[in-house]
Amino acid sequence: MFSHYTKSLLIAALLLCPSLAQAQESGFEWSGFGRVVAGYLAEDGMIYGGYDDELSLKPNSLLGLQGEWQFDSKLSLVGQAVLTASDQRDSDIEWLYLNYRLNDHWQVKFGQLNTPFFSYSDVQDVGYAYHWVQLPIEAYPEFLFKKYRGASIRFTPAFERVALDVETYYGSMNDTASVRGNQVDIDLSQIYGVIAKLSYDKYRLSASYHKGEFSYDVPRLNDVRNILTAVGFNTLANQFMSDGTGEYYQLGLSYDDLNVFARSEITYIAQSTNTIADYLSYYLIAGYVFDPVSVYLSFAERTSEEYSIINTVPKGVNPQLDELSIGVDALIDSFAINNRSLSIGARFDSNNNVAFKVEVKKIRGNDFQFDSPLVTKGSAVLLLTSVEWVF
């Protein structure tokens, strides 16, 4: 494990070292990406996706570098570092793994790898690779960790008109995720899954299944659980457990004929703890390319299932129990997120691997951070613009 100081120095060296270009003759290849994203939430008293009613270049502006050292025709070392000024995530080494190609169809990876939950998992930080300025938060939630430590096996058989890609993996991870602006420590004791992608002509289909055992540390949850235990509500306290087993299902479908494009992705999470709601999320995006300009319309939604936790702390007995009961109600309400957004945007691609984007998004639901604890849901318009590039 790298210390924060050592990690920062390593990332800075990877991003700024001018001699990397000369390393290609030694079997080293590198590439990079960057984005400057400005956002403004046209509503005061709330925060969404890291944006509020002041224009900000955080949290999505970043700079990344990916390098691959080829030892021979089969074995290579791959790494990716991301430098960000975000308050919600640290600059970090995202990938660092050994890649071994057994032959043209089989590939094995070992190390710190990208968690393949989504269609855009490999390029979440590479804004140049997708149409939105910001991937739909409803379908790409913050709390799903982006990396794990373990191994994966990938199989890509050869067919005449169909491309098939099958991957399976196993690993674990200790990481910190940002959930509504709060840092949550997550301990993933094990995770495994299988992912299949099928491409034919202009169509692409993907499906995946993942399962993991986890625990997480949320100070507010711990405080409420301890108070409930101290005053004798043990049964209620035991329902606020922060460990369990989760299952994740994903299905994606896309169409692209270089002029018309459409994509949809649907995900479902079911888990055993009461403190994370089972939920269904999806997005739909469709657009048209008037080269070099493209326009799109996108809709995304996340719906959580109702909770079975019943607040047994009575109201009206005394002020102390009233305060505790209100706090328990607020905590239960915060577990379930129901949100939807409608976005319209445009992108202009220059001829030098640079893209300029603009997006207007209308959001409605409870996936906000509110200034007032009495407000639990709302609506707002988010304005986004960005410059994206790869090199």
Side-chain angles (χ1 to χ4, degrees):
M1 179 69 68
F2 296 104
S3 70
H4 179 75
Y5 178 72
T6 302
K7 186 166 60 179
S8 298
L9 287 178
L10 180 57
I11 293 170
L14 285 172
L15 292 173
L16 300 177
C17 179
S19 63
L20 288 179
Q22 285 75 42
Q24 291 185 356
E25 61 188 33
S26 305
F28 184 77
E29 296 182 357
W30 67 285
S31 60
F33 54 90
R35 60 193 324 232
V36 177
V37 183
Y40 172 77
L41 190 69
E43 191 72 40
D44 60 0
M46 60 178 65
I47 300 173
Y48 177 82
Y51 295 105
D52 57 19
D53 60 347
E54 293 185 4
L55 184 66
S56 175
L57 297 179
K58 299 179 180 180
N60 290 314
S61 299
L62 54 83
L63 184 64
L65 184 69
Q66 181 173 323
E68 180 174 5
W69 190 283
Q70 196 76 40
F71 296 106
D72 55 37
S73 61
K74 293 183 177 294
L75 182 64
S76 63
L77 177 66
V78 180
Q80 183 187 93
V82 173
L83 183 65
T84 174
S86 173
D87 298 326
Q88 300 180 11
R89 61 181 288 192
D90 294 329
S91 299
D92 207 347
I93 298 170
E94 298 294 324
W95 309 344
L96 189 61
Y97 61 86
L98 287 171
N99 182 27
Y100 185 75
R101 291 184 175 276
L102 285 77
N103 52 45
D104 291 341
H105 308 300
W106 290 94
Q107 184 177 349
V108 178
K109 298 177 182 179
F110 177 80
Q112 182 164 291
L113 301 157
N114 177 68
T115 313
F117 285 130
F118 308 109
S119 296
Y120 287 107
S121 286
D122 287 342
V123 293
Q124 279 186 261
D125 289 327
V126 188
Y128 188 85
Y130 44 82
H131 297 281
W132 302 275
V133 175
Q134 182 185 49
L135 287 167
I137 295 177
E138 292 81 6
Y140 283 63
E142 301 168 309
F143 65 83
L144 282 180
F145 39 89
K146 295 170 63 177
K147 52 184 179 279
Y148 71 97
R149 296 189 181 101
S152 73
I153 300 174
R154 184 181 178 189
F155 176 53
T156 53
F159 299 104
E160 184 174 345
R161 300 187 62 187
V162 175
L164 178 63
D165 187 331
V166 180
E167 179 182 357
T168 185
Y169 72 95
Y170 179 89
S172 62
M173 192 67 191
N174 294 315
D175 204 358
T176 300
S178 177
V179 181
R180 294 183 177 179
N182 300 309
Q183 297 300 307
V184 178
D185 293 326
I186 300 175
D187 180 11
L188 194 68
S189 59
Q190 68 169 346
I191 183 172
Y192 53 89
V194 59
I195 308 95
K197 300 175 183 178
L198 183 68
S199 299
Y200 173 75
D201 195 22
K202 304 165 187 175
Y203 301 91
R204 179 167 179 170
L205 175 68
S206 66
S208 67
Y209 170 78
H210 313 259
K211 187 173 183 178
E213 296 179 3
F214 63 87
S215 63
Y216 54 92
D217 184 35
V218 183
R220 180 188 176 194
L221 182 63
N222 297 337
D223 292 343
V224 171
R225 188 166 57 232
N226 291 338
I227 293 172
L228 289 171
T229 301
V231 297
F233 293 95
N234 293 19
T235 301
L236 180 59
N238 290 335
Q239 295 189 65
F240 292 99
M241 302 307 294
S242 56
D243 61 324
T245 300
E247 292 181 284
Y248 176 90
Y249 306 83
Q250 180 267 355
L251 182 66
L253 178 64
S254 67
Y255 170 87
D256 192 338
D257 69 0
L258 301 183
N259 292 118
V260 177
F261 62 88
R263 179 183 289 272
S264 179
E265 188 172 5
I266 183 169
T267 58
Y268 178 72
I269 286 184
Q271 45 71 54
S272 61
T273 175
N274 288 323
T275 51
I276 301 177
D278 296 351
Y279 77 83
L280 177 72
S281 67
Y282 67 92
Y283 68 78
L284 301 165
I285 182 173
Y288 193 86
V289 178
F290 306 88
D291 193 30
V293 176
S294 59
V295 295
Y296 66 87
L297 183 67
S298 176
F299 179 79
E301 185 174 26
R302 174 178 170 183
T303 57
S304 300
E305 296 184 3
E306 294 295 328
Y307 269 92
S308 59
I309 298 179
I310 298 175
N311 183 6
T312 56
V313 181
K315 295 181 177 69
V317 177
N318 59 56
Q320 291 78 18
L321 284 180
D322 286 348
E323 183 177 354
L324 178 59
S325 184
I326 292 172
V328 170
D329 285 338
L331 184 61
I332 294 173
D333 290 341
S334 71
F335 296 153
I337 296 177
N338 295 282
N339 222 67
R340 61 179 58 183
S341 67
L342 180 66
S343 306
I344 185 170
R347 167 176 174 153
F348 172 78
D349 282 273
S350 69
N351 57 4
N352 55 353
N353 294 329
V354 177
F356 302 88
K357 302 183 195 176
V358 62
E359 180 175 299
V360 179
K361 179 183 293 187
K362 174 69 174 181
I363 311 117
R364 184 183 301 274
N366 69 344
D367 195 14
F368 294 92
Q369 295 170 249
F370 298 99
D371 288 351
S372 171
L374 301 178
V375 180
T376 59
K377 60 183 179 179
S379 64
V381 174
L382 177 63
L383 307 175
L384 295 166
T385 185
S386 68
V387 181
E388 321 270 4
W389 66 93
V390 293
F391 57 90

